[in-house]
Amino acid sequence: MTITRVALPIAAEQLFDYWLPAGVDAPDGSIVRVRLGHRRLAGVVVAHAIGSEVEQSRLLPVEAVEPLHPLPADLLELASFVSRYYQAALGMVLALLVPPLGAGAAARRSDDVAVRFTEPGRTQLPARLRSAQAIALHQRIVQLDSISPIVLATFDEAERRFFRSWVKAGWLAPAAVPVDAPTRVALNAAQAQALDAILSARGFAPMLLHGVTGSGKTAVYLAAAERFVADGGQVLLLVPEINLTPQFEARVRAMLPGASAVSLHSGLADGERRAAWEAAASGRAAIVLGTRLAVFAPLPKLALIVVDEEHDGSFKQQDGVRYHARDVALFRGRQRGVPVVLGSATPSLESWAHARGGRYRMLALPERADPQSRMPDVRFVDDREGRKREGLSDATLQALSACVARGEQALVFINRRGYAPSYKCWSCGWDAQCPRCAVRLTVHRDARQLRCHHCGHAQRLPGACPECGNVDLLPQGFGTQRLERALASALPTARIARVDRDTVRARGAFADVRDRFEGGAIDILVGTQMLAKGHDFPRLTLVVVLGADNALYSADFRATERVFALLMQVIGRAGRAGLPGEAILQTDFPHHPAYRAAARHDYATLANTLLEERNDARLPPATHVALLEAQAHDRAHVDAFLASARDCAMQCRAGCEVEIFAPVPALMAKRAGFERGQMLVQANRRPELQRFLPAWRAQLATRSSSRVRWAIDVDPASF
Ligand SMILES: [Zn+2]
Ligand SMILES: [Zn+2]
């Protein structure tokens, strides 16, 4: 009897044995359906055996084999590495590699090709359309030229209905044959040099493409991709945000019209994701574009990996399997012997240190690609001086007003959504706290609510102070809603829109605002960091940054690095197409080194200073750390578990050069009703940490109780 050993998506370490019915074939990597107790689960076959230690009468059969490409050997090896390195159960890691299954996820092959209007579709269809929405959609598709699955994913339900009926009626047909010649972008000397370096790389070659904002990194990636695709290879392109994929997709289409590209991210419907997965697994998709999850896509002909905005925090998964997609991409590049290009205007200090130390090749794009375009001037407005209206200084308002009067556009950036970040009684000092988290509640004035941005708790705005009865309660500080109102009252003729998680919850809402801004229907866009990434608006000449000080003085050791990266990104939005750009930074600390460096557009000096500080403080990347996080309803349970975890670490340290720190409360000591604590383990050398962790984790598993939830975070994003 053939026994298959199956990894299941549960936290337990072990594999489970099932017998394979005669005539059924399930090679390693096959995705199978099995029963575990009362549950039916999908798992991955990772080995075969002749017999099992489980008594034969208790063995269950494999119930079904999914009609999918089995996961290839290299992906099984990748999963095993991720499981070991990030201290996660193999079955949980493999679950990340399996595409959506089930009837609803049946692959729709017609959706993984791009379509465009036929000649009659373009010219005759409009006369038959009645609804304004259909007419607008028609125009949009004509403008975009072709619609790929990625762009389709941004359509709302009504738009999809029109789209499908047009495909059915034959107005839209596959755009397989490129009609237009590819857009040729002339590369400047620095870009050409970077391209040469990528193309001449042999085998695994990690490279850091450090290019200032607007320096044309994408043109370099795509020129390299074109060459690898022409040679029959597949290219994996990772981007930090789902919202960036349609824009990236459009550029791929323009530059490589013949190449088939698919996207893979969690925003896709199951069927779309499964179709994209199969296109990647079969080698049909030459370019796979996606967010962090796409790093696990099956790619039989992988030839190049690109990680755009490699410094971005969203590449790190914060729960479940806590992997970092950039680091997994590097492992994969080594495993498959292909070049890996990490691109950023503000590289992570980890990558910067590797590039300086010679482990990564440094490719620099020091100038903007458009010779007409200059980096914007940066002006500091001292928040402690002068008159202010609702947090906006006179100087800022004048600049905004002048910008709008010139017919240009502005971006006002504050990294807080809602109306105000706290609600306070000035009589007794009470402020509204979340009952379930150790944080203040945010005022949402439109909804007349106080909301917690961490657990979702919401309550009505109280009319009086619950402590002293005072009725003069005041929102304190500023969020996007409050700024939007303040701007509307100060600049009544300006057309203002807001972009944050509250306004773009609906699918396609973000694309809609972006299109309106691009089309000139909006003068001032107020928003959070969603706006900071990758969007190019030619008439955007003024960027205003408010509230950056709060982030700078957070307790997180990466705070300065993050604020600086964000500032460089935001400032870099201004003045892209020949119009001179300006950035205004309202701050209490105009002389802070991070702000000064941002004003000089000088990444290297600040990065080197920060690296020295990290060395002195023995913080990553100078050291390697793992964080044990624990939470429970009762603080005593957290403390007891962590104390025991520390004793246990002392015992199983045996010979490993690791430093074990005392347990402390988490930065947010309570969240969603759970008391939280943590403890840090640190090593000067990564292998020492990796040698220590498995033994410690095995011990913790035997000591934990159901009352305490815990996880080990290797290379945590913050602590
Ligand atoms: Zn009070
Ligand atoms: Zn809360």
Side-chain angles (χ1 to χ4, degrees), residues 686-697:
R686 197 189 294 279
E688 292 295 317
L689 185 65
Q690 284 291 324
R691 208 150 64 84
F692 163 78
L693 289 174
W696 188 40
R697 175 161 160 255

Side-chain angles (χ1 to χ4, degrees), residues 24 44 57 62 115 119 213 284 345 400 467 516 538 557 597 659 716:
V24 176
V44 178
S57 63
V62 166
V115 295
E119 191 51 34
T213 51
R284 273 185 292 132
L400 282 166
E467 295 289 322
R516 285 197 293 139
F557 77 98
E659 195 173 345

Side-chain angles (χ1 to χ4, degrees), residues 33-261:
R33 302 274 189 171
V34 295
R35 201 188 272 268
L36 181 70
H38 296 294
R39 288 190 292 170
R40 278 208 159 78
L41 297 170
V44 178
V45 176
V46 294
H48 288 73
I50 305 294
S52 170
E53 286 171 14
V54 182
E55 207 180 297
Q56 197 160 338
S57 63
R58 292 179 53 218
L59 274 180
L60 294 173
V62 166
E63 296 193 337
V65 182
E66 284 289 326
L68 280 169
H69 278 86
L71 299 177
D74 72 294
L75 276 191
L76 294 178
E77 190 191 325
L78 181 70
S80 154
F81 161 77
V82 169
S83 157
R84 284 193 312 274
Y85 185 86
Y86 290 104
Q87 305 297 315
L90 181 63
M92 299 295 282
V93 178
L94 283 166
L96 297 171
L97 277 63
V98 173
L101 305 172
R108 282 175 299 156
R109 288 288 295 270
S110 63
D111 271 7
D112 73 11
V113 295
V115 295
R116 62 157 58 93
F117 278 122
T118 59
E119 191 51 34
R122 210 151 50 86
T123 52
Q124 296 166 23
L125 177 60
R128 302 173 180 228
L129 299 176
R130 297 276 173 277
S131 92
Q133 199 185 4
I135 293 165
L137 181 66
H138 184 277
Q139 283 175 352
R140 208 164 118 208
I141 296 176
V142 168
Q143 263 173 20
L144 286 168
D145 183 48
S146 71
I147 296 296
S148 68
I150 298 175
V151 178
L152 184 59
T154 66
F155 285 13
D156 66 25
E157 249 335 292
E159 289 172 333
R160 275 160 198 258
R161 275 200 298 278
F162 289 126
F163 181 85
R164 294 216 181 94
S165 70
W166 295 343
V167 171
K168 220 168 155 189
W171 298 116
L172 285 161
V177 186
V179 179
D180 309 317
T183 316
R184 284 283 159 207
V185 180
L187 299 183
N188 64 29
Q191 286 173 309
Q193 214 176 351
L195 176 62
D196 264 359
I198 299 169
L199 294 180
S200 58
R202 293 287 166 267
F204 173 57
M207 289 174 256
L208 177 63
L209 180 59
H210 175 222
V212 298
T213 51
S215 60
K217 292 185 289 293
T218 308
V220 175
Y221 308 146
L222 294 185
E226 183 182 19
R227 201 70 72 81
F228 284 103
V229 169
D231 291 344
Q234 287 179 298
V235 175
L236 175 63
L237 240 166
L238 298 178
V239 295
E241 276 227 19
I242 294 174
N243 284 324
L244 291 176
T245 53
Q247 204 191 23
F248 228 109
E249 157 82 1
R251 293 199 59 183
V252 171
R253 293 254 160 252
M255 278 189 71
L256 295 100
S260 65

Side-chain angles (χ1 to χ4, degrees), residues 434 436-437 439 452 454-457 672:
C434 176
R436 310 178 63 218
C437 309
V439 292
C452 174
H454 298 277
C455 72
H457 168 86

